[in-house]
Amino acid sequence: MREGPLKIAVLGLNDTGRLMLEAAKGFDYFTIAAVGDNDTNLAQQVAKEHNCAAYDDYRQLIIQNQLDCLFVAAPLHSCAEYLKMAIKKKFHILKAPPLARNFSEASEFVKLAQNEGIILAVANTDRFAQSSLAARGFVLQNSTEQPFLILAAAGQPPSDVPQATWRNDPVLAGGGVVLYECWEIIDQIVLNFGLPQQVYCVAGSTTPDRQQRLYLTEDSAIITMKFNNILSGNLLAGRAAVASSPSKGPQKWLIAHGQNTLMRCDDKSFEVTDSRGQRLRRDEFNDDDLGRMKMAMDNFGSHLLWPDKNHLVSPAADNLKNMAFIEATYLSARTGMPEQPTRILKIT
């Protein structure tokens, strides 16, 4: 057992990075040593707020500090090489989703972490959402209620804030709405129902120029999933999938149809009805992003300090299934044919 506190740094001061910092303040076994961001002024401002060192060079942050943990929120095109450097320096890593831009990169991260004997985990905060926990509990407690249809949607509604230019580049970003807006809902689908045998994807871009569209990531997608001869499903990705909701943040919902019950789950509620539409259960929740991030970080830190007593909820190796799902989805969009996530997963 290691003695605390754990010396930490945050790479990337976007909304997720700031959320990680805010969550870390709530634990006496985390000590914030440094923050890093490509924006020098932002890094200095946030460092002053948290009384720690500021860096606008990720490489220098890693070289000049001996950390226990590195929390990574920066986009991977700006820090992938430094993430590997941190692993080789024996820093334990908590990575904001997605784990990587493609399956090959994810597999490389996982293998490197295993070789170096460090913990690499993904901050899948939805695994700690009360509505998701209620859905997970229902699935486990009603294993005989075999669902036959899954319907899900995820996306980011229209915003006045322009999208970062790197998000349009498939090399820098790795993907569009499927990778970034659907990561959490895909994680929920795989966690509760397993990896589909086949996925078939049709993706679209709002770019009018057909030539330019080849170089941009997708804005919308429809993914058909086949799990077995009984269970199939559809996942809608993009702004159109969630435009009817008044919420301004990222949105997602999941519905599972069984022979006797229908389960509905979204960010704030969980509901079960019978085959005639009569409500059997409905729960409303008021947990928020900060609370979920605190739970994710508590799980990560507690596992490092007391591993025998604290099971790690979202190790990176488990998330290779999510990456295989996404890789198969993009491959299907290119080939126009159904693809098998398990075939990609076997590459590891």
Side-chain angles (χ1 to χ4, degrees):
M1 184 183 77
R2 187 199 184 286
E3 295 295 329
L6 298 167
K7 192 175 180 182
I8 71 167
V10 175
L11 217 62
L13 299 176
N14 49 26
D15 290 346
T16 302
R18 299 290 291 271
L19 193 67
M20 286 177 155
L21 278 171
E22 189 64 26
K25 288 198 309 183
F27 300 100
D28 55 10
Y29 54 72
F30 286 138
T31 298
I32 303 171
V35 295
D37 194 273
N38 290 330
D39 184 330
T40 305
N41 292 333
L42 178 60
Q44 292 175 346
Q45 174 193 332
V46 173
K48 187 175 181 180
E49 293 171 3
H50 295 275
N51 192 29
C52 64
Y55 293 85
D56 58 9
D57 184 325
Y58 296 154
R59 183 173 182 271
Q60 290 304 316
L61 184 152
I62 293 167
I63 288 175
Q64 295 182 23
N65 291 275
Q66 188 56 51
L67 305 169
D68 295 301
C69 312
L70 184 66
F71 299 152
V72 181
L76 277 164
H77 74 271
S78 68
C79 70
E81 61 181 300
Y82 308 119
L83 177 56
K84 288 182 278 190
M85 183 187 298
I87 292 173
K88 291 176 181 178
K89 203 174 175 185
K90 308 294 186 183
F91 297 172
H92 299 292
I93 309 287
L94 181 64
K95 171 74 177 67
L99 170 59
R101 291 169 289 185
N102 53 59
F103 186 84
S104 176
E105 186 173 61
S107 180
E108 183 182 6
F109 289 157
V110 169
K111 288 178 180 176
L112 183 59
Q114 291 172 344
N115 290 339
E116 296 295 337
I118 67 101
I119 301 300
L120 174 62
V122 182
N124 287 335
T125 55
D126 263 25
R127 292 197 181 191
F128 300 92
Q130 294 302 307
S131 56
S132 298
L133 289 170
R136 180 65 177 152
F138 179 82
V139 170
L140 292 175
Q141 293 165 16
N142 297 272
S143 56
T144 57
E145 176 67 1
Q146 174 69 48
F148 60 86
L149 179 64
I150 295 170
L151 299 174
Q156 185 79 37
S159 171
D160 294 333
V161 180
Q163 181 171 273
T165 54
W166 64 266
R167 279 287 303 267
N168 293 328
D169 188 321
V171 175
L172 295 181
V177 293
V178 174
L179 179 62
Y180 289 92
E181 269 68 61
C182 291
W183 177 274
E184 295 278 16
I185 199 70
I186 288 171
D187 183 60
Q188 290 299 307
I189 291 171
V190 172
L191 184 66
N192 287 311
F193 306 107
L195 198 61
Q197 291 179 5
Q198 292 182 329
V199 296
Y200 174 69
C201 176
V202 177
S205 170
T206 56
T207 305
D209 186 333
R210 299 190 78 180
Q211 286 299 113
Q212 186 182 4
R213 191 181 303 161
L214 298 174
Y215 301 97
L216 297 178
T217 54
E218 82 286 353
D219 298 306
S220 61
I222 302 173
I223 304 166
T224 299
M225 304 167 284
K226 178 184 178 182
F227 293 84
N228 49 50
N229 290 334
I230 297 174
L231 178 59
S232 60
N234 273 335
L235 170 59
L236 305 179
R239 295 176 179 179
V242 293
S244 60
S245 171
S247 173
K248 295 181 179 179
Q251 300 153 42
K252 47 195 171 293
W253 50 260
L254 173 67
I255 299 174
H257 292 261
Q259 294 292 341
N260 303 304
T261 59
L262 184 147
M263 180 191 81
R264 295 184 179 90
C265 177
D266 59 29
D267 273 343
K268 294 295 184 181
S269 68
F270 171 76
E271 182 178 89
V272 180
T273 57
D274 63 19
S275 57
R276 294 172 297 177
Q278 296 294 313
R279 182 183 294 170
L280 302 176
R281 171 183 173 184
R282 180 170 176 83
D283 301 321
E284 301 277 353
F285 306 101
N286 60 3
D287 55 329
D288 58 13
D289 291 341
L290 179 59
R292 296 168 187 176
M293 183 61 78
K294 283 183 177 179
M295 293 178 72
M297 295 181 72
D298 185 28
N299 174 254
F300 182 72
S302 297
H303 178 74
L304 293 180
L305 292 169
W306 309 285
D308 294 339
K309 298 179 180 179
N310 296 279
H311 169 71
L312 187 63
V313 169
S314 188
D318 284 1
N319 287 262
L320 288 176
K321 293 179 181 178
N322 298 346
M323 288 300 320
F325 182 115
I326 293 168
E327 188 97 346
T329 295
Y330 284 134
L331 182 59
S332 174
R334 292 194 298 271
T335 64
M337 298 290 290
E339 299 293 344
Q340 301 175 12
T342 52
R343 184 177 62 82
I344 294 170
L345 190 62
K346 287 177 181 177
I347 295 173
T348 58

